[in-house]
Amino acid sequence: QEQLVESGGGVVQPGGSLRLSCAASGFTFSSYAMFWVRQAPGKGLEWTAVISYDGSNKYYADSVKGRVTIFRDNAKNTLYLHMNRLTTEDTAVYFCARDLFDFRSGSLGYGYFDLWGQGSLVAVSS
Amino acid sequence: EIVLTQSPATLSLSPGERATLSCRASQSIASYLAWYQQKPGQAPRLLIYDVSIRATGIPARFSGSGSGTDFTLTISSLEPEDSAIYYCQQRGSWPPLTFGGGTKVEIK
């Protein structure tokens, strides 16, 4: 069964740091570009970051650029998101998501999300 | 950045009725549009990609159409379980990937 399971969320003070993890199982993790998508409470979806199947290419939303790093460990089938200098605007449920197609559609994937984790809540509050 | 505008914000219909959801892009995205369904407390689910291709396991009552800047998701005959928020998303010009603001479908 294909699955993504996030962990690492919690309450953090403004200016703090946090690392989210996303453990993949049931599919060949190393063949897919992976994404983080976030959703502030009661709001819509916001694409946050993408990493290519091999980790060589990464892009970020302007809202997090310079404060966030996406990386992956294909040997451990795990995706990560390291967040620094957090603000209240970063409060959200963070979803990891898999690209619809594998690396043959391009190193950054096709750009749609067909498998999602359950989400991990990050609450930035003093 | 391509902005997607969804309308209406809320749609309230009875079971068996037809639902028509709109998504308009700020510039042409060819046929690179997807639709997702999200129920409360759940992750989104991919329904349709590349305007009209149903994802695996999606019932035939969901269909998509459009091209360029104007797109439609149609639910031909609403079921109670279709109560959810529906988001469109574009990959026509990325990064960034962008989503619409969502349409809430309520079943009377």
Side-chain angles (χ1 to χ4, degrees):
Chain A
Q1 180 189 358
E2 299 178 330
Q3 196 173 10
L4 297 171
V5 178
E6 297 100 338
S7 60
V11 180
V12 59
Q13 291 189 334
S17 300
L18 201 65
R19 188 180 79 173
L20 301 178
S21 300
C22 170
S25 59
F27 66 97
T28 306
F29 177 72
S30 60
S31 292
Y32 289 86
M34 295 294 296
F35 303 82
W36 288 97
V37 176
R38 69 182 183 179
Q39 186 170 36
K43 302 297 184 182
L45 301 167
E46 180 188 18
W47 168 76
T48 304
V50 59
I51 185 167
S52 60
Y53 70 99
D54 60 359
S56 62
N57 287 313
K58 307 172 185 182
Y59 288 94
Y60 302 94
D62 286 346
S63 58
V64 301
K65 198 175 295 182
R67 301 187 298 114
V68 161
T69 302
I70 185 172
F71 58 105
R72 64 192 296 163
D73 185 335
N74 284 345
K76 294 183 177 179
N77 291 334
T78 304
L79 174 73
Y80 302 95
L81 188 71
H82 189 85
M83 299 182 288
N84 296 313
R85 303 198 307 275
L86 286 161
T87 75
T88 56
E89 301 292 306
D90 297 313
T91 293
V93 173
Y94 286 74
F95 296 99
C96 61
R98 184 186 73 180
D99 193 76
L100 175 60
F101 296 119
D102 67 20
F103 66 92
R104 289 169 289 185
S105 69
S107 69
L108 281 177
Y110 200 65
Y112 301 132
F113 321 108
D114 81 321
L115 181 66
W116 297 69
Q118 84 285 358
S120 185
L121 176 62
V122 174
V124 183
S125 173
S126 55
Chain B
E1 172 177 323
I2 293 177
V3 176
L4 298 178
T5 302
Q6 290 188 241
S7 62
T10 304
L11 202 52
S12 185
L13 295 167
S14 299
E17 288 193 299
R18 182 184 194 90
T20 303
L21 287 66
S22 175
C23 177
R24 177 164 290 178
S26 59
Q27 62 191 78
S28 178
I29 55 172
S31 296
Y32 298 128
L33 188 96
W35 292 92
Y36 299 83
Q37 176 193 66
Q38 187 179 32
K39 297 180 180 181
Q42 297 184 15
R45 178 174 71 147
L46 178 66
L47 297 175
I48 301 273
Y49 66 93
D50 285 350
V51 172
S52 60
I53 302 173
R54 278 190 301 276
T56 303
I58 302 303
R61 65 179 183 274
F62 292 93
S63 64
S65 62
S67 66
T69 60
D70 289 296
F71 303 90
T72 300
L73 174 70
T74 301
I75 310 173
S76 60
S77 179
L78 280 166
E79 300 281 349
E81 62 264 30
D82 297 334
S83 178
I85 299 176
Y86 293 81
Y87 295 96
C88 57
Q89 177 244 323
Q90 68 81 26
R91 61 156 292 242
S93 176
W94 74 288
L97 295 165
T98 54
F99 291 89
T103 290
K104 184 176 184 178
V105 174
E106 298 178 338
I107 310 298
K108 294 178 183 175

